[in-house]
Amino acid sequence: MRIDTLALRMRPRSPLEAADLGARLCQTTARSVYFCYAVAYLPVLALALASFEIAAWAPGAFLFWSKPWLDRTVVFVLSRAAFGQATTVGDLWRAQGAVWWRHFWLTWTWRRLSPWRAFTQPVYQLEGLSLWRIGRRVKQIKSRKRGSALLMMLAFLFAEICLVLTILSLLWWFAPPNEAPDLLTMMFEGATFFTGAAFASYAIAVAFLHPFYVAAGFAMYLNRRAELEAWDVEQELRRAFAT
């Protein structure tokens, strides 16, 4: 990575300060991010809704499990935005092989269980390493940064939960006077309606908040790359002056 070609202003940052930079990057490129994200998100949402016939909880579970795959579209857009390049849906479509289908089974299986997925996803997607070398590289990127990546993930997890509960609370806020639904009655007697409302709230929260989570992890990755490559340059200079 050539740091001098980045459109972002790179300077030494703490990991969580870098996460703030990522949120800002997502905000400034929201048009590209959300248009491209919708291309991946809407088919996943349709498949999730189709699974409702299997079980009432299946749509939420499917959407939850699909997040690593959705990450890839956001990382693609942000990786171009970091170098000052706008991304259109056409660009995404032409790059779909690398974005959507590379490491497909890896993305849909154990990658879902990684608590620092947003931080390490660019390694899998952008560095072009073989599966044999990825493990070593991920270990290097995570070294001494696991705690910060985990803290960032937890912050977005709690934000997502709060947003879901806020959206769900609209059932009570907008209910006619003296006709607000009883929570226990909805959960047990109207379980299907309540589950559907909970899924709708979760789907809206994921649609809005998830790109910011991915962007925060992406910026933490860039910050870590800048640290590592600056260290490499420093070591080379030390060896040069030693001779």
Side-chain angles (χ1 to χ4, degrees), residues 115-186:
W116 32 72
R117 186 186 76 247
F119 181 43
T120 58
Q121 176 60 38
V123 178
Y124 291 87
Q125 188 170 342
L126 303 177
E127 296 196 10
L129 302 175
S130 67
L131 288 176
W132 300 108
R133 298 176 59 194
I134 282 178
R136 189 187 318 159
R137 178 60 170 168
V138 167
K139 185 176 180 180
Q140 182 188 36
I141 292 291
K142 290 192 302 185
S143 178
R144 296 180 291 116
K145 305 297 179 182
R146 288 180 174 86
S148 298
L150 182 61
L151 186 61
M152 184 272 290
M153 184 275 292
L154 290 175
F156 274 94
L157 174 63
F158 289 130
E160 184 179 83
I161 292 172
C162 290
L163 185 56
V164 169
L165 293 177
T166 300
I167 297 170
L168 194 58
S169 70
L170 295 178
L171 292 174
W172 284 266
W173 285 106
F174 288 96
N178 302 319
E179 295 185 20
D182 180 72
L183 179 60
L184 293 178
T185 301
M186 285 184 62

Side-chain angles (χ1 to χ4, degrees), residues 3 224-236:
I3 297 173
R224 180 61 173 152
R225 282 286 303 269
E227 288 181 3
L228 292 173
E229 294 185 15
W231 171 255
D232 290 343
V233 170
E234 179 182 347
Q235 293 300 99
E236 290 176 7

